[in-house]
Amino acid sequence: MHLKHYTLYSFLFFFTFAFSQPKIKLDTFTRPVPTPVDIANDGFTSRMFVADQSGRIFVYDSNGVKLDTFI
């Protein structure tokens, strides 16, 4: 009897969980970086730091315009 209840509750949980996920849309931020591996911001400004596979870090503004090479 308990197995039926656990099965029912788990089905209801996963069913509602599957439909409660937010919709995510990915958009192109910038194109000049050939092999990006990470992207982050400093938390205080709108600058974005994009790390390249070769070890370079590029700085972009929030519109995707390259400002400088950080390292």
Side-chain angles (χ1 to χ4, degrees):
M1 180 87 173
H2 293 299
L3 182 60
K4 289 182 183 179
H5 290 287
Y6 290 133
T7 307
L8 178 66
Y9 291 143
S10 64
F11 176 73
L12 290 175
F13 174 75
F14 289 118
F15 184 73
T16 57
F17 182 72
F19 289 104
S20 65
Q21 297 298 316
K23 303 292 185 216
I24 297 174
K25 179 183 178 249
L26 298 177
D27 197 7
T28 303
F29 177 68
T30 186
R31 292 205 184 269
V33 182
T35 54
V37 293
D38 196 16
I39 185 169
N41 68 352
D42 61 0
F44 301 107
T45 64
S46 61
R47 296 184 306 167
M48 300 298 290
F49 298 91
V50 180
D52 191 3
Q53 191 174 10
S54 65
R56 298 176 293 181
I57 300 175
F58 302 103
V59 182
Y60 291 90
D61 66 1
S62 61
N63 296 323
V65 178
K66 183 178 176 185
L67 299 176
D68 197 9
T69 302
F70 185 70
I71 294 178

